Amino acid sequence: MIDRFWSLPLLTAIPLTLLLSAPRRCSAADDLESSFRNRIVPLLQTYCVSCHGNQKQRADLNLEAFSDLSTVLQERDRWETIGILVADGDMPPAGTEPRPTEQEVAELSGWVEEALSQVNCDLREPGRVTIRRLNRAEYNFTVQDLIGVDFRPADDFPADDVGYGFDTIGDVLTLDPMLLEKYLAAAEEITRTAIDANGPGPGRTVRYDRQALQDKGGQPFGDGSQILATNGELGLDHDFPSDGRYLLRARVSGQQAGPEPVKLAIRLDGRPLGEFELKAADATEVVEVPVVTRAGSKRFAVAFLNDYYRKDAPDPKDQGDRNLIVHRLEVQGPTDPIVSKEIESLDDSAGGRLFGKIGRILASNGEVAFDHRFEEDGEYRIRVRAFGQQAGPDPARLAFKIDGQTVDVVDVPATEQEPGSFEARVRISRGSRRVSLAFLNDYFNQDHPDERLRGDRNLILDRVELVGPVVSYYLALPESHRRIIPEPALSGSYEEVARRSLHRLANRAYRRPTTPDEVERLMTLFRLVRRDGGSFEDAMRVAVQAILVSPHFLYRVEVGGPPRPDGLRPLTDWELASRLSYFLWSSMPDEQLFRAAFEGTLRDPAELGRQALRMLRDPKSSRFITRFAGQWLQIQNLDAFQPDPDRFPEFDPELRDAMRTETELFFTAIVRENRSLIDLLDAEDTFLNERLARHYGIEGVSGAEFRRVSLPPDSPRGGLLTQASILTITSNPTRTSPVKRGKYILDQILGAPIPPPPPDVPELEEGPELTGSLRQRMEQHSTNPGCASCHKRMDPLGFGFENFDAIGRWRDQDGDSPVDASGRLPSGESFAGPADLKALLRARKDDFARTLAENLMTFALGRGLESFDRCAVDGILADLQRHDYRFHRLVVDIVTSDAFRFRKVEPEEVNEP
């Protein structure tokens, strides 16, 4: 972070008269340099270097290594901490002699503040962002938005490293061999799931029998069947997954009686689709009817139509009881009509000669042909099972012909041990057509000098299927398949369809227009698979895998446009679209962003701001809310927190989830409703369900659903810091932790982190035995000079929330001792409990707004903020003050900043044309 809660301009621990009487601060770099040599170095030599010099470096700090102003500015964060500790009187530690006078403290801390404020805001410096790999969440969301698969392949990837509190930082998002292997495996899994390579076929069959038929009509009969003893029906609801053609099938039998056979009907949503007669007595029959229907739940029923019962008929032949027995119902589909032809069953005029019992062999160039009537116009698949007796340099080659016209030619590398399936896809008009399968490249050479080229090449054809017209297959294709291949691929058009599909997909996957060379490389892979006998879909799977493992997909590459005279390189519209979408959606741009990038409007800050506001209103912004809030507020740590079950038996997974949900919904309301950032510190409402309301002692909330709840006027709740999620993650398993809570407020809320404790300082539970209440034990612990300076800042903040136990419940007693939640800040301000402390924090709203702005910028930019970013943050804070600290304004200010819209020109780029 750039600025701190205990910022040096406050210096409230120093009397104002001393500040006014201190030597005048320098206004220029040369004055600062002179003051450093003549005043600051002597002060450091007198009071500091005995512990922090060449001979001894406590806390790994050597002040004698700082020779001038430039070396100080190279370690701004460290010097900012030094200034704070000196101003608060924490350094030199209490009891150390000699000690600086109050005037010397003011002079030293004042010089540090003046030195660190030396940033020339006239110099526009956007900073440098390391090329960024997609983190796990971004990978999952990008695959989901790009292809439409509904699984999370990156969940199996190694955990991402974190920098500056976030997993979006380019410097730490490295790529190791294990992750590369995971990318390859994920690409295969994604394409296998997303692209349907089975083609049109019989479809899936869903069977209903035994338990599934009970209570659906009739009475139980025998082993799992149902009997309809009177006119009526047996029906059930079936969910048809897509529009298309289905086969409704019933396995039934009849108890015959009277002058006519058992009659039944198959119905769908009450509409009769066909009537049938069962001729045999007690013999099981299968009846089926095709139907074209829309997706959704529909009632599939079998109706008994002609009940008959006469025990006393004069003619014994007319006596009896006619009933219908239903054994099973089946729904098959979606399916397209399939006609199979066994090649060996064709007459001799068809061509070729029989090859055992598995088909016909073409031993020389020629063909097998037959006539087939196509009932409708449409797309048909002519699918043949075949293999070759391979010889020579090429595999056997097969041509598909319709009425003598070649519609497709395929290589047949399959062998008798592993026959293959090969198909042509062609549009055919209704009527009788001549279908021919031709062998094109006969080869016979027994005398070739190369033994590998000797042999006799022949083609064996086994079975032919004619599928079509193909309609249901396309209707039933998964959304992912249609996103990748948005149009049918027919014989003769494979290359064109593949090129258009891959070009479109690569544009979206790379998040920019692809070059012809990039598309051609993908087509080379496509052709290799086709050449090896793979289907169109097999070849597309391999080409799409190449896209998914390309650095252009896995990394966010920002080259920028031409360098400008002012030393800035503006990001292109395509790069801005990606920055914006990964900031607010953790994923690739949508069509509106792509269109804006194509039209070149995103370089306009006003359009960039409008797009950001649109994206915040989109449901996908929940990804930003969950990921940013989870990392900034650290509520993702709830998953790992497990309080002592003996002390807190109430804590369970349901309560843990409720804690997290409250904070996420509260933050969502701040974002979506464009509320003030300051409401995060204290608010009159929150989101509860019955379980969490009972945990809080709030009445009137029932049910598992969360809803907005107005807090009672006397409620101690309100704002993030009194929510159970925050209070729990800042506790120990057995008790509260004022240290953790105080440090959390300093780090995450007020942006004033403290250095880690010295290595020789024990935990509270370790070291000499401490006695008394938690506050008393903390005070004993803090008498250690190595502890006092930091605990002086942390502990009062943490004790302010001591009325909340380790899982966020309100309490007035801590064991046998009353809870004391009062405290006094280093600034001299005091409070009596959480309400007073929240009021003090609200009074520091600019410090909180600055901290949130810095965290949000870090998350958005993918880098830590540096000293030159102070100018941008100052400008954002000033704009927030003018706009009532509204969240949307903060987002717009960030995305329209130089840091977001430009990148730094590297030295080697200066002379670029």
Side-chain angles (χ1 to χ4, degrees), residues 558-565 568-570 903-913:
E558 296 175 344
V559 177
R564 301 192 330 182
L568 301 183
R569 186 186 282 273
R903 79 169 183 84
K904 182 179 181 179
V905 176
E906 302 297 339
E908 62 271 17
E909 299 174 320
V910 172
N911 296 321
E912 283 188 9

PDB file of all heavy atoms in Angstrom, residues 558-565 568-570 903-913:
ATOM      1  N   GLU A 558      -0.124  -7.913 -23.432  1.00  0.00           N
ATOM      2  CA  GLU A 558      -0.421  -6.507 -23.672  1.00  0.00           C
ATOM      3  C   GLU A 558       0.795  -5.840 -24.302  1.00  0.00           C
ATOM      4  O   GLU A 558       1.750  -5.476 -23.610  1.00  0.00           O
ATOM      5  CB  GLU A 558      -0.812  -5.808 -22.368  1.00  0.00           C
ATOM      6  CG  GLU A 558      -2.106  -6.354 -21.771  1.00  0.00           C
ATOM      7  CD  GLU A 558      -2.442  -5.764 -20.413  1.00  0.00           C
ATOM      8  OE1 GLU A 558      -1.545  -5.164 -19.776  1.00  0.00           O
ATOM      9  OE2 GLU A 558      -3.596  -5.905 -19.980  1.00  0.00           O
ATOM     10  N   VAL A 559       0.748  -5.715 -25.607  1.00  0.00           N
ATOM     11  CA  VAL A 559       1.844  -5.067 -26.340  1.00  0.00           C
ATOM     12  C   VAL A 559       1.614  -3.572 -26.412  1.00  0.00           C
ATOM     13  O   VAL A 559       2.523  -2.769 -26.275  1.00  0.00           O
ATOM     14  CB  VAL A 559       1.972  -5.670 -27.753  1.00  0.00           C
ATOM     15  CG1 VAL A 559       3.060  -4.965 -28.542  1.00  0.00           C
ATOM     16  CG2 VAL A 559       2.263  -7.164 -27.669  1.00  0.00           C
ATOM     17  N   GLY A 560       0.385  -3.154 -26.614  1.00  0.00           N
ATOM     18  CA  GLY A 560       0.059  -1.747 -26.710  1.00  0.00           C
ATOM     19  C   GLY A 560       0.210  -1.226 -28.118  1.00  0.00           C
ATOM     20  O   GLY A 560       0.722  -1.899 -29.020  1.00  0.00           O
ATOM     21  N   GLY A 561      -0.251  -0.006 -28.300  1.00  0.00           N
ATOM     22  CA  GLY A 561      -0.115   0.656 -29.591  1.00  0.00           C
ATOM     23  C   GLY A 561       1.239   1.324 -29.719  1.00  0.00           C
ATOM     24  O   GLY A 561       2.144   1.126 -28.900  1.00  0.00           O
ATOM     25  N   PRO A 562       1.415   2.149 -30.741  1.00  0.00           N
ATOM     26  CA  PRO A 562       2.701   2.836 -30.943  1.00  0.00           C
ATOM     27  C   PRO A 562       3.033   3.748 -29.765  1.00  0.00           C
ATOM     28  O   PRO A 562       2.144   4.381 -29.180  1.00  0.00           O
ATOM     29  CB  PRO A 562       2.471   3.653 -32.222  1.00  0.00           C
ATOM     30  CG  PRO A 562       1.301   2.994 -32.896  1.00  0.00           C
ATOM     31  CD  PRO A 562       0.442   2.455 -31.805  1.00  0.00           C
ATOM     32  N   PRO A 563       4.313   3.826 -29.371  1.00  0.00           N
ATOM     33  CA  PRO A 563       4.700   4.728 -28.270  1.00  0.00           C
ATOM     34  C   PRO A 563       4.376   6.176 -28.614  1.00  0.00           C
ATOM     35  O   PRO A 563       4.472   6.599 -29.761  1.00  0.00           O
ATOM     36  CB  PRO A 563       6.211   4.502 -28.141  1.00  0.00           C
ATOM     37  CG  PRO A 563       6.479   3.209 -28.819  1.00  0.00           C
ATOM     38  CD  PRO A 563       5.467   3.078 -29.895  1.00  0.00           C
ATOM     39  N   ARG A 564       4.003   6.943 -27.598  1.00  0.00           N
ATOM     40  CA  ARG A 564       3.697   8.351 -27.788  1.00  0.00           C
ATOM     41  C   ARG A 564       4.890   9.200 -27.364  1.00  0.00           C
ATOM     42  O   ARG A 564       5.783   8.740 -26.649  1.00  0.00           O
ATOM     43  CB  ARG A 564       2.462   8.725 -26.960  1.00  0.00           C
ATOM     44  CG  ARG A 564       1.241   7.918 -27.314  1.00  0.00           C
ATOM     45  CD  ARG A 564      -0.039   8.459 -26.729  1.00  0.00           C
ATOM     46  NE  ARG A 564       0.089   9.166 -25.465  1.00  0.00           N
ATOM     47  CZ  ARG A 564      -0.936   9.666 -24.788  1.00  0.00           C
ATOM     48  NH1 ARG A 564      -2.161   9.513 -25.266  1.00  0.00           N
ATOM     49  NH2 ARG A 564      -0.773  10.282 -23.645  1.00  0.00           N
ATOM     50  N   PRO A 565       4.918  10.467 -27.788  1.00  0.00           N
ATOM     51  CA  PRO A 565       6.046  11.337 -27.407  1.00  0.00           C
ATOM     52  C   PRO A 565       6.203  11.516 -25.903  1.00  0.00           C
ATOM     53  O   PRO A 565       7.300  11.785 -25.419  1.00  0.00           O
ATOM     54  CB  PRO A 565       5.690  12.676 -28.089  1.00  0.00           C
ATOM     55  CG  PRO A 565       4.803  12.304 -29.231  1.00  0.00           C
ATOM     56  CD  PRO A 565       4.017  11.120 -28.754  1.00  0.00           C
ATOM     57  N   LEU A 568       4.389   7.234 -23.122  1.00  0.00           N
ATOM     58  CA  LEU A 568       3.349   6.261 -22.809  1.00  0.00           C
ATOM     59  C   LEU A 568       3.025   5.430 -24.046  1.00  0.00           C
ATOM     60  O   LEU A 568       3.104   5.915 -25.170  1.00  0.00           O
ATOM     61  CB  LEU A 568       2.074   6.959 -22.314  1.00  0.00           C
ATOM     62  CG  LEU A 568       2.195   7.840 -21.074  1.00  0.00           C
ATOM     63  CD1 LEU A 568       0.831   8.376 -20.683  1.00  0.00           C
ATOM     64  CD2 LEU A 568       2.800   7.057 -19.917  1.00  0.00           C
ATOM     65  N   ARG A 569       2.655   4.193 -23.789  1.00  0.00           N
ATOM     66  CA  ARG A 569       2.179   3.333 -24.874  1.00  0.00           C
ATOM     67  C   ARG A 569       0.729   2.971 -24.555  1.00  0.00           C
ATOM     68  O   ARG A 569       0.471   2.183 -23.649  1.00  0.00           O
ATOM     69  CB  ARG A 569       3.032   2.066 -24.974  1.00  0.00           C
ATOM     70  CG  ARG A 569       2.682   1.190 -26.177  1.00  0.00           C
ATOM     71  CD  ARG A 569       3.456  -0.116 -26.161  1.00  0.00           C
ATOM     72  NE  ARG A 569       4.818   0.008 -26.600  1.00  0.00           N
ATOM     73  CZ  ARG A 569       5.219  -0.071 -27.866  1.00  0.00           C
ATOM     74  NH1 ARG A 569       4.332  -0.255 -28.822  1.00  0.00           N
ATOM     75  NH2 ARG A 569       6.494   0.032 -28.175  1.00  0.00           N
ATOM     76  N   PRO A 570      -0.236   3.538 -25.286  1.00  0.00           N
ATOM     77  CA  PRO A 570      -1.635   3.236 -24.974  1.00  0.00           C
ATOM     78  C   PRO A 570      -1.974   1.788 -25.302  1.00  0.00           C
ATOM     79  O   PRO A 570      -1.508   1.241 -26.306  1.00  0.00           O
ATOM     80  CB  PRO A 570      -2.413   4.200 -25.873  1.00  0.00           C
ATOM     81  CG  PRO A 570      -1.471   4.514 -26.998  1.00  0.00           C
ATOM     82  CD  PRO A 570      -0.091   4.468 -26.419  1.00  0.00           C
ATOM     83  N   ARG A 903       0.557   1.596 -20.739  1.00  0.00           N
ATOM     84  CA  ARG A 903       1.657   0.853 -20.139  1.00  0.00           C
ATOM     85  C   ARG A 903       2.941   1.622 -20.373  1.00  0.00           C
ATOM     86  O   ARG A 903       3.036   2.490 -21.256  1.00  0.00           O
ATOM     87  CB  ARG A 903       1.745  -0.568 -20.693  1.00  0.00           C
ATOM     88  CG  ARG A 903       2.376  -0.732 -22.048  1.00  0.00           C
ATOM     89  CD  ARG A 903       2.618  -2.216 -22.329  1.00  0.00           C
ATOM     90  NE  ARG A 903       3.286  -2.462 -23.586  1.00  0.00           N
ATOM     91  CZ  ARG A 903       4.604  -2.417 -23.767  1.00  0.00           C
ATOM     92  NH1 ARG A 903       5.397  -2.088 -22.765  1.00  0.00           N
ATOM     93  NH2 ARG A 903       5.134  -2.678 -24.949  1.00  0.00           N
ATOM     94  N   LYS A 904       3.936   1.281 -19.565  1.00  0.00           N
ATOM     95  CA  LYS A 904       5.217   1.977 -19.622  1.00  0.00           C
ATOM     96  C   LYS A 904       5.995   1.560 -20.864  1.00  0.00           C
ATOM     97  O   LYS A 904       6.021   0.393 -21.241  1.00  0.00           O
ATOM     98  CB  LYS A 904       6.025   1.644 -18.368  1.00  0.00           C
ATOM     99  CG  LYS A 904       7.360   2.334 -18.265  1.00  0.00           C
ATOM    100  CD  LYS A 904       8.045   1.946 -16.958  1.00  0.00           C
ATOM    101  CE  LYS A 904       9.375   2.645 -16.799  1.00  0.00           C
ATOM    102  NZ  LYS A 904      10.026   2.279 -15.512  1.00  0.00           N
ATOM    103  N   VAL A 905       6.625   2.520 -21.504  1.00  0.00           N
ATOM    104  CA  VAL A 905       7.511   2.221 -22.630  1.00  0.00           C
ATOM    105  C   VAL A 905       8.860   1.788 -22.074  1.00  0.00           C
ATOM    106  O   VAL A 905       9.502   2.514 -21.314  1.00  0.00           O
ATOM    107  CB  VAL A 905       7.688   3.459 -23.537  1.00  0.00           C
ATOM    108  CG1 VAL A 905       8.690   3.159 -24.640  1.00  0.00           C
ATOM    109  CG2 VAL A 905       6.351   3.860 -24.134  1.00  0.00           C
ATOM    110  N   GLU A 906       9.266   0.575 -22.411  1.00  0.00           N
ATOM    111  CA  GLU A 906      10.540   0.052 -21.936  1.00  0.00           C
ATOM    112  C   GLU A 906      11.690   0.733 -22.688  1.00  0.00           C
ATOM    113  O   GLU A 906      11.518   1.206 -23.824  1.00  0.00           O
ATOM    114  CB  GLU A 906      10.606  -1.456 -22.145  1.00  0.00           C
ATOM    115  CG  GLU A 906       9.485  -2.222 -21.456  1.00  0.00           C
ATOM    116  CD  GLU A 906       9.524  -2.089 -19.949  1.00  0.00           C
ATOM    117  OE1 GLU A 906      10.593  -1.751 -19.406  1.00  0.00           O
ATOM    118  OE2 GLU A 906       8.487  -2.316 -19.305  1.00  0.00           O
ATOM    119  N   PRO A 907      12.892   0.779 -22.079  1.00  0.00           N
ATOM    120  CA  PRO A 907      14.026   1.476 -22.730  1.00  0.00           C
ATOM    121  C   PRO A 907      14.309   0.968 -24.143  1.00  0.00           C
ATOM    122  O   PRO A 907      14.619   1.763 -25.035  1.00  0.00           O
ATOM    123  CB  PRO A 907      15.195   1.191 -21.776  1.00  0.00           C
ATOM    124  CG  PRO A 907      14.547   0.960 -20.443  1.00  0.00           C
ATOM    125  CD  PRO A 907      13.241   0.304 -20.733  1.00  0.00           C
ATOM    126  N   GLU A 908      14.188  -0.343 -24.350  1.00  0.00           N
ATOM    127  CA  GLU A 908      14.500  -0.886 -25.674  1.00  0.00           C
ATOM    128  C   GLU A 908      13.456  -0.509 -26.713  1.00  0.00           C
ATOM    129  O   GLU A 908      13.662  -0.710 -27.913  1.00  0.00           O
ATOM    130  CB  GLU A 908      14.630  -2.406 -25.606  1.00  0.00           C
ATOM    131  CG  GLU A 908      13.381  -3.139 -25.174  1.00  0.00           C
ATOM    132  CD  GLU A 908      13.292  -3.316 -23.669  1.00  0.00           C
ATOM    133  OE1 GLU A 908      14.024  -2.600 -22.956  1.00  0.00           O
ATOM    134  OE2 GLU A 908      12.496  -4.156 -23.223  1.00  0.00           O
ATOM    135  N   GLU A 909      12.309   0.076 -26.276  1.00  0.00           N
ATOM    136  CA  GLU A 909      11.256   0.438 -27.207  1.00  0.00           C
ATOM    137  C   GLU A 909      11.330   1.896 -27.638  1.00  0.00           C
ATOM    138  O   GLU A 909      10.558   2.327 -28.496  1.00  0.00           O
ATOM    139  CB  GLU A 909       9.885   0.203 -26.567  1.00  0.00           C
ATOM    140  CG  GLU A 909       9.615  -1.236 -26.171  1.00  0.00           C
ATOM    141  CD  GLU A 909       8.313  -1.395 -25.421  1.00  0.00           C
ATOM    142  OE1 GLU A 909       8.014  -0.528 -24.580  1.00  0.00           O
ATOM    143  OE2 GLU A 909       7.605  -2.362 -25.687  1.00  0.00           O
ATOM    144  N   VAL A 910      12.253   2.649 -27.053  1.00  0.00           N
ATOM    145  CA  VAL A 910      12.276   4.089 -27.272  1.00  0.00           C
ATOM    146  C   VAL A 910      12.472   4.439 -28.735  1.00  0.00           C
ATOM    147  O   VAL A 910      11.847   5.355 -29.280  1.00  0.00           O
ATOM    148  CB  VAL A 910      13.375   4.743 -26.409  1.00  0.00           C
ATOM    149  CG1 VAL A 910      13.538   6.204 -26.777  1.00  0.00           C
ATOM    150  CG2 VAL A 910      13.025   4.597 -24.941  1.00  0.00           C
ATOM    151  N   ASN A 911      13.307   3.698 -29.419  1.00  0.00           N
ATOM    152  CA  ASN A 911      13.631   4.024 -30.809  1.00  0.00           C
ATOM    153  C   ASN A 911      12.801   3.254 -31.817  1.00  0.00           C
ATOM    154  O   ASN A 911      13.148   3.179 -33.000  1.00  0.00           O
ATOM    155  CB  ASN A 911      15.118   3.757 -31.068  1.00  0.00           C
ATOM    156  CG  ASN A 911      16.005   4.653 -30.231  1.00  0.00           C
ATOM    157  OD1 ASN A 911      15.688   5.842 -30.033  1.00  0.00           O
ATOM    158  ND2 ASN A 911      17.107   4.113 -29.726  1.00  0.00           N
ATOM    159  N   GLU A 912      11.701   2.650 -31.363  1.00  0.00           N
ATOM    160  CA  GLU A 912      10.844   1.952 -32.307  1.00  0.00           C
ATOM    161  C   GLU A 912      10.254   2.932 -33.295  1.00  0.00           C
ATOM    162  O   GLU A 912       9.923   4.062 -32.955  1.00  0.00           O
ATOM    163  CB  GLU A 912       9.698   1.244 -31.565  1.00  0.00           C
ATOM    164  CG  GLU A 912      10.114  -0.031 -30.878  1.00  0.00           C
ATOM    165  CD  GLU A 912       8.907  -0.773 -30.337  1.00  0.00           C
ATOM    166  OE1 GLU A 912       7.773  -0.371 -30.646  1.00  0.00           O
ATOM    167  OE2 GLU A 912       9.105  -1.749 -29.606  1.00  0.00           O
ATOM    168  N   PRO A 913      10.108   2.509 -34.580  1.00  0.00           N
ATOM    169  CA  PRO A 913       9.502   3.401 -35.559  1.00  0.00           C
ATOM    170  C   PRO A 913       8.032   3.628 -35.252  1.00  0.00           C
ATOM    171  O   PRO A 913       7.381   2.816 -34.646  1.00  0.00           O
ATOM    172  CB  PRO A 913       9.667   2.634 -36.879  1.00  0.00           C
ATOM    173  CG  PRO A 913       9.798   1.196 -36.481  1.00  0.00           C
ATOM    174  CD  PRO A 913      10.502   1.210 -35.158  1.00  0.00           C
TER     175      PRO A 913
END
